[in-house]
Every structure is written in structure tokens, then in C-alpha cells.
Amino acid sequence: MADAQKTILKLILSLPSPVLRAMSGGGVVYKGGRTLDPRFQFFAHAAKKLPPMSSLSPAEAVAGSARGLAAVQGPLEPGVRTESLSIEGPNGAIPCRAYRPENQDSAAPLIVYAHMGGGVIGDLETCHAFCSVLARIVRTAVISVDYRLAPDHKFPAGLEDVLAAYRWARDNTARFGAASAPPAIGGDSMGGNFAAIVAQEMKRTGEPQPAAQILIYPAVDVASETPSMTTYADAYPLTRATMDWFMGHYMGADADPADPRVSPDKTEDLTGLAPAVIATAGFDPLVDQGEAYAKRLKAAGVPVLYRCYDSLAHGFTAFTGAIPAADSACREIAGLVKETFDQWVD
């Protein structure tokens, strides 16, 4: 049944843009100077018939998100093989998955990647297709981290798992045929939050900087208001209400939203951090803060490649099998990572 539904969905999404827009409540969706991709518009319209995530329990949200993403995610890239891993973390084993391309470049650094999900939902499947895109285009191994989730494991549990996985990967690059340089650290949304914090934490502890930081629509400031939080407050799939729901589960009663280990943009000194690839989505409450962090890094002398995909929405890395523009963006981001490695990594 799942395959049949996926086939029907693919046929619908192949319809001309005007038809898709007509099926999605009418005309073009235009906000903040941006026009939403018609396929994202279709999904946003369909989602109005479902209960909002903020009305669900975490368990219901985990299950519902997994079902939804399974229908829109692309396949594993050809020529990329996977391996299940178990890394010892601060609170037991951390499940991980390694991606190895057949044409791997032994001079390219390893990439450690953390999935999206607000620290509450998501798993290794959430970023499965995108990690394989990274592996194939950058021609390096990628390790995806299945970190602990709130509310059972509140801040800083997930962050501690990603830090532990990063340090383990740094000590085991040879096992994956990667360069001996420190790995790159990457992630999308909350995973981007973790990636930014890992780079900052390496500086705080005097450890080598990652080869690069890959921040895709990152949540870097949960303590401040920006115009995009209002303009795109009702965007699909990340609404302002959903953001509040995530943080309500992620942070304990004693957590400070302005703590740099929650909001890395609150760190005053950004000098000396790893070269960054930062990508944002136009229809996203987080778009302003991702752009602002890119500008702050540049001002601090950090090499930055920044792209905003104006027509796309938050979470687009998981839509590569349903939205051609999302697939193209993911491949461009992987190309930017390779460009960063070629230019800045010895």
C-alpha cells in the first residue's frame, strides 16, 4: 500500500504548476518577497486537514513524522553503501550509520551529521537520502548520528551524543578511508544547532576545529525574535507553534534559552571557527537567524558560503523524492561542501 501511495503522490506532483496550485487552494503563495514552490504549496494545503504537531504527544509526532517523510524522501544514491555503527556515548551506546561512496576521495575529510527534528523527533531515516547525496558528491564518508531525544532526554543529552560521536569519528577517520584531518560537522535545523555548537565547543576546549561546519536552516537563536518568525509563523512544515512545542519539550525548567549551548548565535566571539556552508529556506521562521549567523561569521573572518533557497520550506532535505527543487538544492549544498574542502582543507 505504501508503494502505491508513493506512486500516486509522484503522479500528482508531476502535474503542471498551475494545476498543483489550483488543487492547493488557488493562486500563488507569496510572502516576504518570496514565492513558495507549488509542490510545497500542495503539501502545505494537504497538511491543513491534519492535527498540528503542537497538538500531539511526542510519541504521536515521532510516528506521524516518520510516516510522512517516508513518502517524500528520495532513494539512497547509487554507488553508496551503508554500515550500522554503535558508538559509546556519555549514557550508553549511540546508534549511527556510515555512508561510503564507491569513488571515495581519501584526501577528503569525514563528515559527521545530525538530523533535524527540534530535538524531539527524527532518526537515522530522516536524513538518509541527504547523507547519501553528501557522500556521493563530496566523495567522502558520512556518519549520521541517532542522538537521544527529548522529552525523555532533555538538553543537553542530544548535544552530548553528537559531541561524543564527533570526537569518536575524529579518532577513527582511518577506519572510514577519510583524510586524517578533523571531520566536518553538519546538520539541519536542530542538527544545525548542534553542528554550530560543536564548532564553538571545540574552540572553548582548545580542540582542533572541524574541517568545516555545514549548517542547513539551522536553529541558532531560540531566545530572540526576528521578522521571519512572524512573516512565516504559519509556514509548512515548521510553524511558530511547532517551534515553541519543540523547545517546550527540549529544554528543562532550568535551561536558559540564551545559553550559547542552546543558542549558539549568543556566543560573542566567533573568530577562529571552521569554514561554514550555510543554507536557509525562504519559507521558514528560521530564515533570518540563519542569514544573520552567516553574516556574523563572515564579519569574524570565517570563510562562509551562504545560500538561501527562496522558494523552499524548512525541512527540504527530506523532500528529495517529491520536490525537484529540493533535490537540486541538496546537490548544490553538497557541491558547496566539496568546494569548501577543496579550498580550505589541507
Side-chain angles (χ1 to χ4, degrees), residues 10-333:
K10 190 172 182 178
L11 287 171
I12 292 172
L13 294 173
S14 68
L15 293 170
S17 294
V19 177
L20 279 174
R21 294 192 192 281
M23 295 171 64
S24 307
V28 170
V29 174
Y30 181 81
K31 283 186 179 181
R34 300 179 171 108
T35 300
L36 183 62
D37 181 280
R39 289 161 186 83
F40 259 122
Q41 183 177 341
F42 173 83
F43 284 116
H45 182 71
K48 292 178 181 178
K49 302 174 184 177
L50 302 174
M53 185 175 292
S54 56
S55 70
L56 303 178
S57 70
E60 290 170 333
V62 167
S65 174
R67 287 193 301 271
L69 293 181
V72 297
Q73 186 158 185
L76 186 76
E77 287 287 291
V80 176
R81 60 185 174 87
T82 63
E83 174 190 355
S84 295
L85 304 171
S86 181
I87 294 171
E88 189 60 33
N91 195 45
I94 305 170
C96 297
R97 181 183 293 157
Y99 296 77
R100 297 283 300 274
E102 60 185 7
N103 64 337
Q104 185 170 341
D105 178 2
S106 61
L110 186 66
I111 298 173
V112 177
Y113 196 85
H115 64 77
M116 64 181 174
V120 181
I121 64 175
D123 55 24
L124 295 177
E125 298 308 313
T126 306
C127 57
H128 182 59
F130 180 61
C131 283
S132 73
V133 169
L134 272 178
R136 186 183 184 206
I137 292 178
V138 185
R139 296 179 56 200
T140 194
V142 177
I143 296 178
S144 179
V145 185
D146 195 9
Y147 53 84
R148 287 172 290 165
L149 299 174
D152 293 337
H153 306 284
K154 292 182 180 291
F155 166 80
L159 172 62
E160 289 177 342
D161 284 355
V162 175
L163 278 163
Y166 177 80
R167 289 178 169 122
W168 181 90
R170 186 183 61 196
D171 295 339
N172 289 273
T173 57
R175 172 177 171 176
F176 300 96
S180 58
I185 183 68
D188 53 335
S189 194
M190 182 57 86
N193 171 284
F194 292 160
I197 295 168
V198 167
Q200 293 185 8
E201 192 70 8
M202 294 302 101
K203 179 181 175 180
R204 282 190 282 266
T205 57
E207 297 172 74
Q209 274 297 294
Q213 47 183 325
I214 307 160
L215 314 180
I216 305 175
Y217 36 83
V220 292
D221 187 352
V222 302
S224 303
E225 293 288 329
T226 63
S228 63
M229 290 184 180
T230 299
T231 303
Y232 304 107
D234 295 324
Y236 166 88
L238 183 66
T239 66
R240 181 61 188 271
T242 302
M243 289 173 56
D244 293 342
W245 181 86
F246 280 142
M247 289 300 100
H249 288 297
Y250 177 69
M251 294 191 299
D254 297 331
D256 178 5
D259 181 343
R261 283 165 54 94
V262 176
S263 295
D265 194 33
K266 293 301 183 184
T267 296
E268 292 185 8
D269 182 7
L270 301 181
T271 59
L273 295 179
V277 173
I278 302 180
T280 54
F283 279 74
D284 183 354
L286 301 180
V287 61
D288 285 352
Q289 59 182 264
E291 181 181 12
Y293 194 63
K295 289 179 177 177
R296 285 196 64 213
L297 286 171
K298 281 186 179 180
V302 175
V304 177
L305 292 178
Y306 173 74
R307 296 288 187 278
C308 180
Y309 297 94
D310 280 343
S311 70
L312 299 182
H314 190 90
F316 66 73
T317 58
F319 285 78
T320 55
I323 299 179
D327 184 71
S328 296
C330 288
R331 294 177 191 281
E332 181 178 26
I333 291 167

